Amino acid sequence: MLKTEYRPARSGRDHEVRGKTGRAQERGPARWALHVAVLHGAVWLIVALLAAPAAVVSAQELKVAMSAQPEVLDPHRTSATSSFQVTRSLYDTLVEVDRRGEIVPALAESWSTDAAGLRWTFRLREGVRFHDGTLLDSGDVQASIARVAGPGSPKAEEFGAVEGIDTPDARTVVIRLNAPAPALLASLASEWGAVLPEEAIRAGHDFANEPVGTGPFRLETWVRDSYLRLVPFDGHFRGTPDLDGVTLRFVSESALQVQGLLRGDFDIIDAVPVADLPRLVSNPAVRVVEEPSGLVLVAGLNTRRPYLSDVRVRQGLNLAVDKETILEVAYGGGTPVGTFMEAGSPWYPQDVEPYPYDPERARALLSEAGVPSGWTLDLVLPETYRAHVTAGQMIQEMLGRVGVQSRIRLVEWGVWLSTVFGGPRDFDVTVIGHTGKLDPTGRLRGYGEGVRTYVGYENPQVAGWLAEAARTTDQDRRRALYADVLRALHANAPFIYLGTPYRRHATRANVDGFWITPLLDTFVFRDVRVRP
């Protein structure tokens, strides 16, 4: 086992991983360690073939490797974290999340609400400009909220309580609600709460490919399947970032990311394999950061499909999977969970335990439900995320031990988003990580209402609890309602719950000021400095 020394970073929340390192031993069953080792060996072999001469860049050019490329750059038309990881630099929101996970002012310098929680008043900063040179005013906020709350927005329901938006003057926005919405501020602080220019919205501007925001960077170049380059926006209200530019290259193989970091081709990588930790943490030119993650890793079960509609089958599949081994081998460690909430969340009910690994009980439940011999599942995996692919391969073998066969189908990330998470929901089982949300309403919305979620889980009682929790301002009542929902999601098991992994990224030692937003997992480049 890799020995690492974890010391609290200055923020008090993050952890920096520093040597001392010992001999790395096998993690999990030998066959999985061998599989991973062979995969890494094959990747190292092609590094030299794929490597191109590094471009001549300024010392202040930030070079980043990210695992998945954005779907679109329109924050009102996507649910993909990979998109938000880029749009975080292009757009601003009324309020935002700081390094401690607290909601703080951004485009709005202050805000207040009435006693009933039905009127939210925001006072905008003065002199903020969009990338096209136009001044931000209350009309832009009004048009942006109307857009994200309207047709075509995957986040429309988060703004469903908005009854109207008043703009008494250029710097004042009043949001009127038809019912209390305690999660509204969290929605406004999330990347889909981005403010866009009103005139461009009304003109039908193509924000997906030509973003226009007030963010600290603007888009210079986007070559799909290759890279994206951002340049500083001189007119940003916080000042111009101290970088010549940020180049994000889309590198799905973590081994290639590591090699690029060590070679100096990348200043930041977002994927750090456990197998490479010893040499990274002992390298003085590299800094590895390990933080608590807001992810929930799951194997989503399409409850619309035969046999998967039976709760006994879903519980049996949970019992058939060794979560600790999957977390260790595929994700480099983590904490198993038993419901649809990240480990360590204050909303996680303390009485909910992860499903144990019990193949014998799994076989009994599957037999009781009448699952036939030779039942074969369509296991669809997003090939961009190699850890999910490894987890899927492990799940395939574990289910095979209890008599359930699986046929793995790898799909591109865009295809996964459009056909599994959305669209026709063409899958039986899929492996994915759900990014954290600032409020449990964002995590749990729609579960219990069948057609509205990719797993198709339907439970009118759960839907009722969620509807009440979304509008009550009594925090004790909200906590009780969400606890009931999470207990029901445990018992009814529309997912195989895997757990919450650690989040690791690495930088060159001369890179300062980079951070990732708590729970939302988006990249913040505006404070970065690259020392010569």
Side-chain angles (χ1 to χ4, degrees), residues 286-337:
V286 170
R287 182 185 300 122
V288 178
V289 178
E290 182 177 274
E291 307 165 299
S293 164
L295 282 174
V296 173
L297 299 169
V298 297
L301 306 175
N302 192 344
T303 64
R304 307 169 185 86
R305 297 293 177 92
Y307 300 108
L308 290 175
S309 62
D310 190 321
V311 65
R312 294 170 296 180
V313 173
R314 302 195 299 267
Q315 290 174 343
L317 297 183
N318 267 276
L319 294 166
V321 171
D322 183 348
K323 291 85 173 170
E324 291 189 2
T325 298
I326 289 177
L327 285 171
E328 189 75 6
V329 174
Y331 299 102
T335 304
V337 298

Side-chain angles (χ1 to χ4, degrees), residues 403-418:
V404 176
Q405 306 306 309
S406 305
R407 184 185 306 108
I408 289 179
R409 182 158 54 94
L410 300 180
V411 298
E412 296 178 353
W413 180 232
V415 173
W416 188 92
L417 287 169
S418 62

Side-chain angles (χ1 to χ4, degrees), residues 315-323 355-367 397-404:
Q315 290 174 343
L317 297 183
N318 267 276
L319 294 166
V321 171
D322 183 348
K323 291 85 173 170
Y355 280 87
Y357 177 49
D358 190 342
E360 183 176 348
R361 176 62 179 151
R363 281 189 288 269
L365 282 172
L366 294 170
S367 175
E397 179 172 331
M398 291 171 183
L399 294 185
R401 296 176 200 162
V402 299
V404 176

Side-chain angles (χ1 to χ4, degrees), residues 240-295:
T240 306
D242 190 18
L243 291 168
D244 290 337
V246 179
T247 299
L248 299 107
R249 294 199 175 272
F250 313 129
V251 183
S252 60
E253 290 289 355
S254 57
L256 293 177
Q257 289 199 15
V258 169
Q259 181 71 358
L261 180 74
L262 294 173
R263 199 168 51 211
D265 295 343
F266 302 131
D267 298 305
I268 300 173
I269 63 173
D270 70 355
V272 179
V274 172
D276 293 306
L277 272 173
R279 62 177 178 154
L280 290 180
V281 299
S282 62
N283 189 325
V286 170
R287 182 185 300 122
V288 178
V289 178
E290 182 177 274
E291 307 165 299
S293 164
L295 282 174

Side-chain angles (χ1 to χ4, degrees), residues 194-212:
V195 176
L196 285 56
E198 178 184 15
E199 290 186 7
I201 290 174
R202 299 198 186 287
H205 181 78
D206 181 15
F207 292 100
N209 296 293
E210 301 174 6
V212 181

Side-chain angles (χ1 to χ4, degrees), residues 296 298 338-342 434 443-444 447 486 489 495 497:
V296 173
V298 297
T339 190
F340 196 45
M341 185 61 68
E342 70 269 15
H434 287 264
R443 166 82 79 198
L444 299 170
Y447 288 95
L486 291 167
L489 287 172
F495 305 94
Y497 300 106

